[in-house]
Amino acid sequence: MKWDGHTHSKFCYHGHPAEQQEYLERAIEMGFERYSVTEHPPLPDKLVDNPQLMLELAMPERELPDYFAYMKEMKARYEGRLDVAIGLEMDYLYRQEDFSDRIVDKWAAQMEDAVVSVHYLPSRGGAMRCIDYTADDFKDAFLGYYGSIDKVVEEYFNHVEMEIEWAAQLPMRKRIGHVNLIRKFRKELPEMDQAFIRRRLEGLLPKLKAAGIGVDVNVAGLRAATCEEVYVPEWFMNSCRERGIELVYGSDSHRPDQVGANWDWFAERIGM
Ligand SMILES: [Zn+2]
Ligand SMILES: [Zn+2]
């Protein structure tokens, strides 16, 4: 099935204010059959110690009902033309898992899809910092604090494992978001140990299989000049296929013109 499984909307404040029809018409034009809207849900107050950045990271909690109502209307409007699946890109929130649990408990009945992502790691004083904001911010937050890029990568994969444990209990269709997001700024960071990353990724495979969690084959890294990689290595895609772990293409669109981006890359690799 031609499916874009990871997209954002006007409810994202680091995205684009376009109405949903612009995204959905573009998806139909490109021949998509299913389109998952997976917006960033609200975050705990002061998750990161930067009020301006907090405003950009996610919608305020009071908007979540509007998001579901709006997408429900879109789903009905496009019925028969495009299967609009409503979901969220849930954050794995280390030591604040109960915040995400509360959102899921409240909205699970409305959610067809959950992409589950690690976007934050602890830094100085235990405060959370973004791993995907800017290269300079990454260096400032993590390189000195963890001591080396290898230690940052190790901690990232520790969090991905906790994320899988957390996501295992979700009742809806679920996928792990951009599993190699830690490589977003790779060209501006000290070189990462690829053999170590491979070992850690291999270690995830049985956990994903056991938990019934799929993989978001997220192509947004191809658009980042500091990365120019898909956030899922090809060998990992092959291992997932061998094990029957679902692979779902994800444009991670934050603007209508990003819908379906690099679909051909994905289609070629899975023989579609
Ligand atoms: Zn986003
Ligand atoms: Zn994400």
Side-chain angles (χ1 to χ4, degrees):
M1 181 195 312
K2 192 164 177 179
W3 175 11
D4 193 339
H6 184 157
T7 70
H8 295 275
S9 70
K10 68 175 184 177
F11 290 86
C12 173
Y13 292 97
H14 54 270
H16 194 279
E19 293 295 334
Q20 196 58 25
Q21 294 92 318
E22 283 192 50
Y23 290 89
L24 301 180
E25 293 295 338
R26 168 120 182 118
I28 291 168
E29 240 169 65
M30 296 183 78
F32 282 91
E33 297 155 84
R34 181 185 286 158
Y35 184 96
S36 301
V37 190
T38 54
E39 196 49 86
H40 301 287
L43 292 168
D45 273 348
K46 303 191 176 104
L47 176 76
V48 300
D49 184 20
N50 177 340
Q52 196 52 44
L53 182 57
M54 277 304 297
L55 293 176
E56 288 172 34
L57 291 175
M59 69 179 100
E61 187 143 15
R62 64 174 180 279
E63 286 184 14
L64 198 51
D66 302 338
Y67 166 73
F68 281 107
Y70 178 76
M71 291 308 169
K72 215 172 156 182
E73 193 207 319
M74 290 296 152
K75 184 181 177 67
R77 196 183 291 193
Y78 280 80
E79 206 189 322
R81 294 177 69 203
L82 182 64
D83 174 16
V84 179
I86 305 172
L88 291 171
E89 181 179 7
M90 298 302 303
D91 294 288
Y92 171 67
L93 297 172
Y94 176 64
R95 291 190 169 159
Q96 299 186 67
E97 292 89 346
D98 55 333
F99 185 91
S100 297
D101 287 337
R102 191 171 54 76
I103 290 179
V104 172
D105 285 347
K106 191 158 175 197
W107 296 101
Q110 320 263 345
M111 287 173 67
E112 292 163 88
D113 269 300
V115 171
V116 185
S117 301
V118 172
H119 294 118
Y120 307 97
L121 286 179
S123 181
R124 280 176 283 276
M128 300 304 273
R129 298 279 292 267
C130 297
I131 63 167
D132 62 342
Y133 180 41
T134 66
D136 284 342
D137 189 70
F138 185 107
K139 291 179 203 168
D140 175 63
F142 304 122
L143 285 187
Y145 180 68
Y146 287 101
S148 71
I149 190 67
D150 292 339
K151 289 280 181 204
V152 183
V153 171
E154 184 176 5
E155 189 62 6
Y156 171 73
F157 281 104
N158 291 342
H159 278 248
V160 171
E161 289 185 359
M162 291 187 276
E163 168 195 35
I164 292 172
E165 266 177 50
W166 179 77
Q169 42 103 24
L170 295 176
M172 67 291 292
R173 199 162 55 198
K174 47 197 179 272
R175 297 180 287 288
I176 190 162
H178 39 58
V179 70
N180 248 351
L181 184 64
I182 197 69
R183 289 177 64 73
K184 179 168 181 181
F185 302 118
R186 67 181 181 93
K187 292 185 179 180
E188 299 204 14
L189 296 172
E191 190 143 0
M192 297 179 187
D193 180 346
Q194 287 277 40
F196 177 74
I197 291 179
R198 186 173 177 125
R199 280 203 304 282
R200 293 304 299 261
L201 286 170
E202 278 170 347
L204 303 181
L205 291 163
K207 297 177 196 293
L208 291 170
K209 177 69 184 170
I213 299 173
V215 169
D216 166 43
V217 183
N218 189 301
V219 297
L222 291 172
R223 301 194 294 266
T226 53
C227 182
E228 295 186 321
E229 284 180 357
V230 173
Y231 288 130
V232 180
E234 286 183 58
W235 69 263
F236 189 76
M237 290 173 68
N238 295 336
S239 300
C240 287
R241 293 181 77 188
E242 282 163 18
R243 288 169 183 259
I245 297 167
E246 188 174 39
L247 296 172
V248 179
Y249 160 85
S251 68
D252 208 345
S253 304
H254 284 73
R255 298 198 318 248
D257 64 359
Q258 291 171 342
V259 171
N262 297 104
W263 164 263
D264 292 346
W265 184 96
F266 176 77
E268 268 168 39
R269 271 139 197 101
I270 63 155
M272 261 181 93

